[in-house]
Amino acid sequence: MSESVVTADIPDEIKRRWSISSAFFLADTASSIVHRVGLTDGSSAILKRLKPRGLGELPGMTFLEWRQGQGAVHLPQKE
């Protein structure tokens, strides 16, 4: 699959903190913007940036942190 590398719409501060080397836009929904990102260590992650309308998803992120990847997606970082 051919991927378009688009990091221009990811804030520089986020790119620096996450060590993002590349990004592929996945979705722009009512609640968030989602990218698949490549990190400088060679790993990959999903970056989901919440919009104001998506703040209701924060309790779900707390649940994912609590689960620590057991039976749910691993949430390495929440800001």
Side-chain angles (χ1 to χ4, degrees):
M1 163 177 45
S2 174
E3 294 187 359
S4 64
V5 177
V6 180
T7 60
D9 57 340
I10 298 174
D12 289 336
E13 176 65 20
I14 292 174
K15 286 189 271 190
R16 188 175 67 254
R17 278 197 317 259
W18 280 54
S19 301
I20 294 173
S21 60
S22 64
F24 178 71
F25 174 79
L26 294 175
D28 185 349
T29 70
S31 64
S32 60
I33 299 171
V34 183
H35 288 86
R36 180 176 51 236
V37 296
L39 308 179
T40 56
D41 68 1
S43 64
S44 61
I46 297 295
L47 173 65
K48 182 175 183 179
R49 294 176 23 230
L50 294 180
K51 297 177 181 178
R53 188 171 178 183
L55 294 179
E57 296 182 30
L58 290 175
M61 289 183 199
T62 300
F63 172 77
L64 292 175
E65 286 179 314
W66 175 72
R67 294 297 305 162
Q68 298 179 350
Q70 299 295 316
V73 67
H74 173 66
L75 184 65
Q77 187 173 343
K78 177 179 87 171
E79 298 179 19

